[in-house]
Amino acid sequence: MHDTVIIALISFLGTLIGTLGGIITSGKLTGFRLQQLEKKVEVHNNFAGRIPVIEEQIKVLNHRVADLEA
């Protein structure tokens, strides 16, 4: 009788430790993936912020080319 209870408790502790380890590992992986995604979004936002500047420079260049052609 006592052996069965001891085995059940050991099994429970093993299951508990395994589950908690999986949760912690999953949390770390999710955090890492979020950091990588945030870096990609930051790069994209920097690029998107420069587009209006590039568009304005293209307009100026187009006017200069038109003036030279005239």
Short mmCIF file of all heavy atoms in Angstrom, two decimals:
data_model
loop_
_atom_site.label_atom_id
_atom_site.label_comp_id
_atom_site.label_asym_id
_atom_site.label_seq_id
_atom_site.Cartn_x
_atom_site.Cartn_y
_atom_site.Cartn_z
N MET A 1 0.82 -1.20 0.00
CA MET A 1 0.00 0.00 0.00
C MET A 1 0.87 1.26 0.00
O MET A 1 0.63 2.16 -0.76
CB MET A 1 -0.93 -0.06 1.22
CG MET A 1 -1.82 1.13 1.35
SD MET A 1 -3.12 1.07 0.09
CE MET A 1 -4.09 2.42 0.56
N HIS A 2 1.87 1.30 0.87
CA HIS A 2 2.73 2.47 0.96
C HIS A 2 3.57 2.63 -0.31
O HIS A 2 3.86 3.76 -0.72
CB HIS A 2 3.65 2.38 2.18
CG HIS A 2 2.92 2.44 3.49
ND1 HIS A 2 2.30 3.58 3.94
CD2 HIS A 2 2.69 1.50 4.45
CE1 HIS A 2 1.73 3.36 5.10
NE2 HIS A 2 1.95 2.09 5.44
N ASP A 3 3.95 1.52 -0.89
CA ASP A 3 4.74 1.58 -2.12
C ASP A 3 3.96 2.24 -3.24
O ASP A 3 4.50 3.03 -4.01
CB ASP A 3 5.17 0.17 -2.56
CG ASP A 3 6.15 -0.47 -1.58
OD1 ASP A 3 6.75 0.28 -0.79
OD2 ASP A 3 6.29 -1.70 -1.64
N THR A 4 2.69 1.94 -3.32
CA THR A 4 1.84 2.51 -4.38
C THR A 4 1.71 4.02 -4.21
O THR A 4 1.78 4.77 -5.18
CB THR A 4 0.44 1.85 -4.33
OG1 THR A 4 0.59 0.44 -4.39
CG2 THR A 4 -0.41 2.33 -5.48
N VAL A 5 1.56 4.47 -2.98
CA VAL A 5 1.44 5.91 -2.71
C VAL A 5 2.75 6.61 -3.05
O VAL A 5 2.76 7.69 -3.65
CB VAL A 5 1.03 6.16 -1.24
CG1 VAL A 5 1.08 7.64 -0.91
CG2 VAL A 5 -0.35 5.59 -0.95
N ILE A 6 3.85 6.03 -2.69
CA ILE A 6 5.16 6.62 -2.96
C ILE A 6 5.39 6.71 -4.48
O ILE A 6 5.83 7.74 -4.99
CB ILE A 6 6.28 5.81 -2.27
CG1 ILE A 6 6.17 5.97 -0.76
CG2 ILE A 6 7.65 6.27 -2.76
CD1 ILE A 6 7.10 5.08 0.04
N ILE A 7 5.06 5.65 -5.19
CA ILE A 7 5.22 5.65 -6.65
C ILE A 7 4.32 6.71 -7.28
O ILE A 7 4.72 7.43 -8.19
CB ILE A 7 4.95 4.25 -7.23
CG1 ILE A 7 6.05 3.29 -6.79
CG2 ILE A 7 4.83 4.30 -8.74
CD1 ILE A 7 5.78 1.84 -7.14
N ALA A 8 3.09 6.84 -6.77
CA ALA A 8 2.17 7.84 -7.29
C ALA A 8 2.70 9.25 -7.05
O ALA A 8 2.61 10.12 -7.93
CB ALA A 8 0.80 7.67 -6.66
N LEU A 9 3.26 9.48 -5.86
CA LEU A 9 3.82 10.81 -5.55
C LEU A 9 5.03 11.11 -6.43
O LEU A 9 5.18 12.24 -6.93
CB LEU A 9 4.20 10.89 -4.07
CG LEU A 9 3.05 11.00 -3.08
CD1 LEU A 9 3.56 10.93 -1.65
CD2 LEU A 9 2.26 12.28 -3.31
N ILE A 10 5.89 10.14 -6.64
CA ILE A 10 7.06 10.34 -7.51
C ILE A 10 6.61 10.62 -8.94
O ILE A 10 7.13 11.52 -9.61
CB ILE A 10 8.00 9.11 -7.44
CG1 ILE A 10 8.65 9.04 -6.06
CG2 ILE A 10 9.06 9.19 -8.53
CD1 ILE A 10 9.43 7.76 -5.81
N SER A 11 5.59 9.89 -9.39
CA SER A 11 5.07 10.12 -10.74
C SER A 11 4.47 11.51 -10.87
O SER A 11 4.67 12.21 -11.86
CB SER A 11 4.00 9.08 -11.08
OG SER A 11 4.54 7.78 -11.09
N PHE A 12 3.75 11.92 -9.83
CA PHE A 12 3.15 13.26 -9.83
C PHE A 12 4.22 14.34 -9.88
O PHE A 12 4.13 15.31 -10.65
CB PHE A 12 2.27 13.45 -8.59
CG PHE A 12 1.76 14.84 -8.43
CD1 PHE A 12 0.75 15.32 -9.26
CD2 PHE A 12 2.29 15.69 -7.48
CE1 PHE A 12 0.28 16.62 -9.12
CE2 PHE A 12 1.82 16.98 -7.33
CZ PHE A 12 0.81 17.45 -8.16
N LEU A 13 5.27 14.18 -9.08
CA LEU A 13 6.35 15.17 -9.07
C LEU A 13 7.07 15.21 -10.43
O LEU A 13 7.40 16.29 -10.93
CB LEU A 13 7.35 14.86 -7.96
CG LEU A 13 6.88 15.14 -6.54
CD1 LEU A 13 7.91 14.68 -5.52
CD2 LEU A 13 6.57 16.61 -6.36
N GLY A 14 7.29 14.06 -11.02
CA GLY A 14 7.91 14.03 -12.35
C GLY A 14 7.06 14.74 -13.39
O GLY A 14 7.56 15.50 -14.22
N THR A 15 5.76 14.48 -13.34
CA THR A 15 4.85 15.13 -14.28
C THR A 15 4.83 16.64 -14.05
O THR A 15 4.86 17.43 -15.00
CB THR A 15 3.42 14.57 -14.12
OG1 THR A 15 3.47 13.17 -14.35
CG2 THR A 15 2.46 15.21 -15.09
N LEU A 16 4.80 17.04 -12.80
CA LEU A 16 4.77 18.46 -12.45
C LEU A 16 6.04 19.17 -12.93
O LEU A 16 5.97 20.24 -13.55
CB LEU A 16 4.62 18.62 -10.94
CG LEU A 16 4.51 20.04 -10.40
CD1 LEU A 16 3.23 20.69 -10.92
CD2 LEU A 16 4.52 20.04 -8.89
N ILE A 17 7.19 18.56 -12.69
CA ILE A 17 8.46 19.16 -13.11
C ILE A 17 8.53 19.25 -14.63
O ILE A 17 8.94 20.27 -15.20
CB ILE A 17 9.65 18.36 -12.53
CG1 ILE A 17 9.71 18.56 -11.02
CG2 ILE A 17 10.96 18.78 -13.18
CD1 ILE A 17 10.68 17.63 -10.31
N GLY A 18 8.11 18.19 -15.31
CA GLY A 18 8.12 18.20 -16.78
C GLY A 18 7.20 19.26 -17.35
O GLY A 18 7.54 19.96 -18.31
N THR A 19 6.03 19.39 -16.77
CA THR A 19 5.07 20.39 -17.25
C THR A 19 5.60 21.80 -17.04
O THR A 19 5.54 22.65 -17.94
CB THR A 19 3.72 20.22 -16.53
OG1 THR A 19 3.23 18.90 -16.78
CG2 THR A 19 2.71 21.23 -17.01
N LEU A 20 6.11 22.06 -15.85
CA LEU A 20 6.64 23.40 -15.56
C LEU A 20 7.84 23.72 -16.46
O LEU A 20 7.98 24.85 -16.94
CB LEU A 20 7.04 23.52 -14.09
CG LEU A 20 5.88 23.53 -13.09
CD1 LEU A 20 6.40 23.55 -11.66
CD2 LEU A 20 4.95 24.70 -13.34
N GLY A 21 8.68 22.73 -16.70
CA GLY A 21 9.82 22.93 -17.60
C GLY A 21 9.35 23.27 -19.01
O GLY A 21 9.91 24.15 -19.67
N GLY A 22 8.32 22.59 -19.47
CA GLY A 22 7.77 22.88 -20.80
C GLY A 22 7.18 24.27 -20.89
O GLY A 22 7.36 24.97 -21.88
N ILE A 23 6.49 24.68 -19.85
CA ILE A 23 5.88 26.02 -19.84
C ILE A 23 6.97 27.09 -19.85
O ILE A 23 6.88 28.08 -20.59
CB ILE A 23 4.97 26.18 -18.61
CG1 ILE A 23 3.73 25.30 -18.77
CG2 ILE A 23 4.57 27.64 -18.41
CD1 ILE A 23 2.87 25.20 -17.52
N ILE A 24 8.01 26.91 -19.07
CA ILE A 24 9.10 27.89 -19.01
C ILE A 24 9.82 27.97 -20.35
O ILE A 24 10.10 29.06 -20.87
CB ILE A 24 10.08 27.54 -17.87
CG1 ILE A 24 9.40 27.77 -16.51
CG2 ILE A 24 11.36 28.34 -17.97
CD1 ILE A 24 10.17 27.23 -15.33
N THR A 25 10.11 26.81 -20.93
CA THR A 25 10.78 26.78 -22.24
C THR A 25 9.94 27.44 -23.31
O THR A 25 10.43 28.22 -24.12
CB THR A 25 11.10 25.32 -22.64
OG1 THR A 25 11.91 24.74 -21.62
CG2 THR A 25 11.83 25.27 -23.96
N SER A 26 8.65 27.15 -23.30
CA SER A 26 7.74 27.75 -24.28
C SER A 26 7.69 29.27 -24.12
O SER A 26 7.67 30.01 -25.10
CB SER A 26 6.35 27.15 -24.12
OG SER A 26 5.43 27.77 -24.98
N GLY A 27 7.66 29.73 -22.88
CA GLY A 27 7.64 31.17 -22.62
C GLY A 27 8.90 31.86 -23.12
O GLY A 27 8.84 32.95 -23.70
N LYS A 28 10.04 31.21 -22.90
CA LYS A 28 11.30 31.79 -23.38
C LYS A 28 11.34 31.85 -24.90
O LYS A 28 11.79 32.84 -25.48
CB LYS A 28 12.49 30.98 -22.86
CG LYS A 28 12.76 31.17 -21.39
CD LYS A 28 13.97 30.35 -20.94
CE LYS A 28 14.24 30.53 -19.46
NZ LYS A 28 15.39 29.74 -19.02
N LEU A 29 10.87 30.79 -25.54
CA LEU A 29 10.85 30.76 -27.00
C LEU A 29 9.91 31.83 -27.56
O LEU A 29 10.25 32.53 -28.51
CB LEU A 29 10.43 29.38 -27.51
CG LEU A 29 10.36 29.21 -29.02
CD1 LEU A 29 11.72 29.47 -29.65
CD2 LEU A 29 9.86 27.82 -29.37
N THR A 30 8.76 31.98 -26.94
CA THR A 30 7.82 33.01 -27.38
C THR A 30 8.42 34.40 -27.22
O THR A 30 8.29 35.24 -28.10
CB THR A 30 6.50 32.91 -26.59
OG1 THR A 30 5.95 31.60 -26.79
CG2 THR A 30 5.51 33.96 -27.02
N GLY A 31 9.09 34.64 -26.10
CA GLY A 31 9.74 35.93 -25.87
C GLY A 31 10.82 36.20 -26.91
O GLY A 31 10.92 37.32 -27.44
N PHE A 32 11.60 35.19 -27.24
CA PHE A 32 12.65 35.35 -28.24
C PHE A 32 12.06 35.68 -29.60
O PHE A 32 12.53 36.58 -30.31
CB PHE A 32 13.48 34.07 -28.32
CG PHE A 32 14.48 34.07 -29.45
CD1 PHE A 32 15.64 34.80 -29.35
CD2 PHE A 32 14.24 33.34 -30.60
CE1 PHE A 32 16.56 34.81 -30.40
CE2 PHE A 32 15.14 33.34 -31.65
CZ PHE A 32 16.31 34.08 -31.55
N ARG A 33 11.01 34.95 -29.97
CA ARG A 33 10.38 35.18 -31.28
C ARG A 33 9.75 36.58 -31.34
O ARG A 33 9.80 37.24 -32.38
CB ARG A 33 9.35 34.10 -31.56
CG ARG A 33 10.02 32.74 -31.76
CD ARG A 33 9.06 31.67 -32.11
NE ARG A 33 8.60 31.88 -33.48
CZ ARG A 33 7.71 31.13 -34.08
NH1 ARG A 33 7.17 30.13 -33.44
NH2 ARG A 33 7.34 31.38 -35.32
N LEU A 34 9.19 37.05 -30.24
CA LEU A 34 8.63 38.40 -30.21
C LEU A 34 9.73 39.45 -30.38
O LEU A 34 9.54 40.45 -31.09
CB LEU A 34 7.88 38.65 -28.90
CG LEU A 34 6.47 38.10 -28.83
CD1 LEU A 34 5.90 38.27 -27.44
CD2 LEU A 34 5.57 38.76 -29.85
N GLN A 35 10.88 39.23 -29.78
CA GLN A 35 12.00 40.17 -29.94
C GLN A 35 12.44 40.23 -31.40
O GLN A 35 12.71 41.32 -31.93
CB GLN A 35 13.18 39.76 -29.06
CG GLN A 35 12.98 40.04 -27.60
CD GLN A 35 14.16 39.54 -26.78
OE1 GLN A 35 15.00 38.78 -27.26
NE2 GLN A 35 14.22 39.96 -25.52
N GLN A 36 12.53 39.08 -32.04
CA GLN A 36 12.94 39.05 -33.44
C GLN A 36 11.92 39.77 -34.32
O GLN A 36 12.28 40.51 -35.23
CB GLN A 36 13.11 37.60 -33.92
CG GLN A 36 14.18 36.83 -33.18
CD GLN A 36 15.53 37.51 -33.21
OE1 GLN A 36 16.00 37.94 -34.25
NE2 GLN A 36 16.16 37.64 -32.06
N LEU A 37 10.64 39.57 -34.03
CA LEU A 37 9.59 40.23 -34.79
C LEU A 37 9.63 41.74 -34.58
O LEU A 37 9.45 42.51 -35.53
CB LEU A 37 8.23 39.68 -34.39
CG LEU A 37 7.02 40.18 -35.16
CD1 LEU A 37 7.17 39.89 -36.65
CD2 LEU A 37 5.75 39.54 -34.62
N GLU A 38 9.88 42.17 -33.36
CA GLU A 38 9.98 43.60 -33.07
C GLU A 38 11.13 44.24 -33.84
O GLU A 38 11.02 45.36 -34.33
CB GLU A 38 10.14 43.83 -31.57
CG GLU A 38 8.88 43.57 -30.78
CD GLU A 38 9.08 43.60 -29.28
OE1 GLU A 38 10.25 43.69 -28.82
OE2 GLU A 38 8.08 43.52 -28.55
N LYS A 39 12.25 43.52 -33.97
CA LYS A 39 13.38 44.04 -34.74
C LYS A 39 12.99 44.22 -36.20
O LYS A 39 13.32 45.23 -36.83
CB LYS A 39 14.58 43.11 -34.63
CG LYS A 39 15.26 43.12 -33.29
CD LYS A 39 16.41 42.14 -33.24
CE LYS A 39 17.03 42.06 -31.86
NZ LYS A 39 18.11 41.08 -31.80
N LYS A 40 12.28 43.25 -36.76
CA LYS A 40 11.86 43.34 -38.16
C LYS A 40 10.88 44.50 -38.36
O LYS A 40 10.97 45.22 -39.35
CB LYS A 40 11.21 42.03 -38.61
CG LYS A 40 12.18 40.90 -38.79
CD LYS A 40 11.48 39.64 -39.29
CE LYS A 40 12.47 38.51 -39.47
NZ LYS A 40 11.80 37.31 -40.00
N VAL A 41 9.98 44.67 -37.42
CA VAL A 41 9.01 45.77 -37.51
C VAL A 41 9.73 47.11 -37.43
O VAL A 41 9.40 48.05 -38.16
CB VAL A 41 7.94 45.65 -36.41
CG1 VAL A 41 7.10 46.91 -36.30
CG2 VAL A 41 7.05 44.45 -36.68
N GLU A 42 10.74 47.21 -36.57
CA GLU A 42 11.50 48.46 -36.44
C GLU A 42 12.22 48.80 -37.74
O GLU A 42 12.20 49.95 -38.19
CB GLU A 42 12.51 48.33 -35.31
CG GLU A 42 13.28 49.61 -35.04
CD GLU A 42 14.23 49.45 -33.86
OE1 GLU A 42 14.00 48.59 -33.01
OE2 GLU A 42 15.21 50.21 -33.82
N VAL A 43 12.81 47.80 -38.38
CA VAL A 43 13.48 48.02 -39.67
C VAL A 43 12.47 48.48 -40.71
O VAL A 43 12.70 49.43 -41.46
CB VAL A 43 14.20 46.74 -40.13
CG1 VAL A 43 14.65 46.85 -41.57
CG2 VAL A 43 15.39 46.45 -39.24
N HIS A 44 11.31 47.84 -40.72
CA HIS A 44 10.26 48.21 -41.68
C HIS A 44 9.78 49.64 -41.42
O HIS A 44 9.58 50.42 -42.37
CB HIS A 44 9.08 47.25 -41.58
CG HIS A 44 7.96 47.59 -42.49
ND1 HIS A 44 6.92 48.40 -42.11
CD2 HIS A 44 7.72 47.27 -43.78
CE1 HIS A 44 6.09 48.55 -43.12
NE2 HIS A 44 6.55 47.87 -44.14
N ASN A 45 9.59 49.99 -40.17
CA ASN A 45 9.11 51.33 -39.85
C ASN A 45 10.13 52.40 -40.26
O ASN A 45 9.76 53.47 -40.72
CB ASN A 45 8.78 51.45 -38.37
CG ASN A 45 7.50 50.73 -38.01
OD1 ASN A 45 6.69 50.40 -38.87
ND2 ASN A 45 7.32 50.47 -36.73
N ASN A 46 11.41 52.11 -40.07
CA ASN A 46 12.44 53.06 -40.49
C ASN A 46 12.40 53.25 -42.00
O ASN A 46 12.53 54.36 -42.50
CB ASN A 46 13.83 52.58 -40.06
CG ASN A 46 14.01 52.68 -38.56
OD1 ASN A 46 13.34 53.44 -37.89
ND2 ASN A 46 14.92 51.90 -38.03
N PHE A 47 12.22 52.16 -42.72
CA PHE A 47 12.15 52.25 -44.18
C PHE A 47 10.90 53.02 -44.61
O PHE A 47 10.97 53.89 -45.48
CB PHE A 47 12.12 50.84 -44.79
CG PHE A 47 12.04 50.84 -46.28
CD1 PHE A 47 13.13 51.19 -47.05
CD2 PHE A 47 10.86 50.51 -46.91
CE1 PHE A 47 13.06 51.20 -48.43
CE2 PHE A 47 10.77 50.51 -48.30
CZ PHE A 47 11.87 50.86 -49.05
N ALA A 48 9.76 52.72 -43.98
CA ALA A 48 8.52 53.40 -44.33
C ALA A 48 8.61 54.89 -44.03
O ALA A 48 8.01 55.70 -44.73
CB ALA A 48 7.35 52.77 -43.57
N GLY A 49 9.36 55.27 -43.03
CA GLY A 49 9.52 56.68 -42.70
C GLY A 49 10.38 57.43 -43.72
O GLY A 49 10.23 58.65 -43.88
N ARG A 50 11.24 56.72 -44.42
CA ARG A 50 12.11 57.37 -45.41
C ARG A 50 11.45 57.51 -46.78
O ARG A 50 11.92 58.27 -47.62
CB ARG A 50 13.41 56.57 -45.54
CG ARG A 50 14.25 56.63 -44.29
CD ARG A 50 15.64 56.06 -44.49
NE ARG A 50 15.70 54.92 -45.38
CZ ARG A 50 16.24 53.75 -45.09
NH1 ARG A 50 16.75 53.57 -43.90
NH2 ARG A 50 16.27 52.77 -45.95
N ILE A 51 10.39 56.78 -47.03
CA ILE A 51 9.73 56.82 -48.34
C ILE A 51 9.28 58.23 -48.73
O ILE A 51 9.52 58.66 -49.86
CB ILE A 51 8.56 55.82 -48.39
CG1 ILE A 51 9.08 54.39 -48.31
CG2 ILE A 51 7.71 56.00 -49.63
CD1 ILE A 51 9.92 53.96 -49.48
N PRO A 52 8.60 58.98 -47.85
CA PRO A 52 8.21 60.34 -48.25
C PRO A 52 9.40 61.23 -48.62
O PRO A 52 9.30 62.05 -49.54
CB PRO A 52 7.49 60.88 -47.01
CG PRO A 52 7.04 59.68 -46.27
CD PRO A 52 8.06 58.63 -46.54
N VAL A 53 10.52 61.05 -47.93
CA VAL A 53 11.73 61.83 -48.25
C VAL A 53 12.21 61.48 -49.65
O VAL A 53 12.55 62.35 -50.46
CB VAL A 53 12.82 61.58 -47.19
CG1 VAL A 53 14.13 62.25 -47.59
CG2 VAL A 53 12.37 62.04 -45.82
N ILE A 54 12.23 60.19 -49.96
CA ILE A 54 12.67 59.74 -51.28
C ILE A 54 11.73 60.25 -52.36
O ILE A 54 12.17 60.70 -53.43
CB ILE A 54 12.76 58.20 -51.31
CG1 ILE A 54 13.88 57.73 -50.38
CG2 ILE A 54 12.99 57.69 -52.72
CD1 ILE A 54 13.90 56.24 -50.14
N GLU A 55 10.42 60.21 -52.08
CA GLU A 55 9.45 60.72 -53.05
C GLU A 55 9.68 62.20 -53.33
O GLU A 55 9.59 62.65 -54.48
CB GLU A 55 8.02 60.48 -52.56
CG GLU A 55 7.60 59.03 -52.60
CD GLU A 55 6.23 58.80 -51.99
OE1 GLU A 55 5.75 59.66 -51.21
OE2 GLU A 55 5.65 57.74 -52.28
N GLU A 56 9.96 62.96 -52.30
CA GLU A 56 10.20 64.39 -52.48
C GLU A 56 11.47 64.62 -53.30
O GLU A 56 11.52 65.49 -54.17
CB GLU A 56 10.32 65.09 -51.11
CG GLU A 56 10.42 66.59 -51.19
CD GLU A 56 9.21 67.24 -51.84
OE1 GLU A 56 8.09 66.73 -51.69
OE2 GLU A 56 9.40 68.27 -52.52
N GLN A 57 12.50 63.84 -53.04
CA GLN A 57 13.74 63.97 -53.81
C GLN A 57 13.51 63.61 -55.28
O GLN A 57 14.08 64.24 -56.18
CB GLN A 57 14.83 63.07 -53.21
CG GLN A 57 15.32 63.57 -51.87
CD GLN A 57 16.30 62.60 -51.21
OE1 GLN A 57 16.44 61.46 -51.64
NE2 GLN A 57 16.96 63.07 -50.16
N ILE A 58 12.67 62.63 -55.54
CA ILE A 58 12.35 62.26 -56.92
C ILE A 58 11.63 63.39 -57.62
O ILE A 58 11.90 63.70 -58.79
CB ILE A 58 11.53 60.95 -56.96
CG1 ILE A 58 12.43 59.78 -56.56
CG2 ILE A 58 10.93 60.71 -58.34
CD1 ILE A 58 11.67 58.47 -56.37
N LYS A 59 10.71 64.05 -56.93
CA LYS A 59 10.00 65.19 -57.52
C LYS A 59 10.98 66.30 -57.91
O LYS A 59 10.90 66.88 -58.99
CB LYS A 59 8.96 65.75 -56.53
CG LYS A 59 7.74 64.91 -56.39
CD LYS A 59 6.78 65.56 -55.40
CE LYS A 59 5.61 64.65 -55.09
NZ LYS A 59 4.70 65.23 -54.09
N VAL A 60 11.92 66.59 -57.00
CA VAL A 60 12.91 67.63 -57.27
C VAL A 60 13.76 67.24 -58.49
O VAL A 60 14.01 68.06 -59.39
CB VAL A 60 13.80 67.87 -56.03
CG1 VAL A 60 14.98 68.76 -56.37
CG2 VAL A 60 12.98 68.49 -54.90
N LEU A 61 14.19 66.00 -58.54
CA LEU A 61 15.00 65.54 -59.67
C LEU A 61 14.22 65.60 -60.98
O LEU A 61 14.78 65.96 -62.02
CB LEU A 61 15.51 64.12 -59.42
CG LEU A 61 16.57 63.99 -58.32
CD1 LEU A 61 16.87 62.52 -58.04
CD2 LEU A 61 17.83 64.73 -58.69
N ASN A 62 12.95 65.23 -60.92
CA ASN A 62 12.12 65.31 -62.13
C ASN A 62 12.01 66.75 -62.63
O ASN A 62 12.06 67.01 -63.84
CB ASN A 62 10.73 64.72 -61.88
CG ASN A 62 10.74 63.21 -61.86
OD1 ASN A 62 11.61 62.58 -62.43
ND2 ASN A 62 9.76 62.63 -61.18
N HIS A 63 11.86 67.70 -61.72
CA HIS A 63 11.80 69.12 -62.12
C HIS A 63 13.12 69.56 -62.73
O HIS A 63 13.15 70.30 -63.73
CB HIS A 63 11.45 70.00 -60.92
CG HIS A 63 10.01 69.90 -60.51
ND1 HIS A 63 8.98 70.25 -61.33
CD2 HIS A 63 9.45 69.47 -59.35
CE1 HIS A 63 7.84 70.04 -60.69
NE2 HIS A 63 8.10 69.56 -59.47
N ARG A 64 14.23 69.12 -62.15
CA ARG A 64 15.54 69.50 -62.69
C ARG A 64 15.73 68.94 -64.09
O ARG A 64 16.23 69.62 -64.99
CB ARG A 64 16.66 68.99 -61.78
CG ARG A 64 16.80 69.78 -60.50
CD ARG A 64 17.97 69.27 -59.69
NE ARG A 64 18.12 70.00 -58.45
CZ ARG A 64 19.03 69.76 -57.55
NH1 ARG A 64 19.90 68.77 -57.75
NH2 ARG A 64 19.12 70.46 -56.44
N VAL A 65 15.34 67.68 -64.28
CA VAL A 65 15.45 67.06 -65.61
C VAL A 65 14.56 67.81 -66.60
O VAL A 65 14.98 68.09 -67.74
CB VAL A 65 15.08 65.56 -65.55
CG1 VAL A 65 14.92 64.98 -66.95
CG2 VAL A 65 16.14 64.79 -64.78
N ALA A 66 13.36 68.16 -66.19
CA ALA A 66 12.46 68.90 -67.09
C ALA A 66 13.05 70.25 -67.44
O ALA A 66 12.95 70.69 -68.59
CB ALA A 66 11.09 69.06 -66.40
N ASP A 67 13.67 70.93 -66.47
CA ASP A 67 14.29 72.23 -66.74
C ASP A 67 15.47 72.08 -67.71
O ASP A 67 15.67 72.91 -68.60
CB ASP A 67 14.79 72.88 -65.44
CG ASP A 67 13.64 73.36 -64.56
OD1 ASP A 67 12.51 73.47 -65.06
OD2 ASP A 67 13.89 73.61 -63.35
N LEU A 68 16.26 71.01 -67.54
CA LEU A 68 17.39 70.79 -68.45
C LEU A 68 16.92 70.46 -69.86
O LEU A 68 17.57 70.83 -70.84
CB LEU A 68 18.28 69.65 -67.91
CG LEU A 68 19.10 69.98 -66.66
CD1 LEU A 68 19.80 68.72 -66.14
CD2 LEU A 68 20.12 71.06 -66.95
N GLU A 69 15.81 69.74 -69.97
CA GLU A 69 15.29 69.39 -71.29
C GLU A 69 14.70 70.60 -72.00
O GLU A 69 14.66 70.63 -73.22
CB GLU A 69 14.23 68.29 -71.17
CG GLU A 69 14.80 66.92 -70.81
CD GLU A 69 13.74 65.86 -70.59
OE1 GLU A 69 12.56 66.22 -70.39
OE2 GLU A 69 14.09 64.67 -70.61
N ALA A 70 14.26 71.57 -71.23
CA ALA A 70 13.62 72.74 -71.85
C ALA A 70 14.59 73.75 -72.38
O ALA A 70 15.66 73.75 -72.65
CB ALA A 70 12.77 73.46 -70.80
#
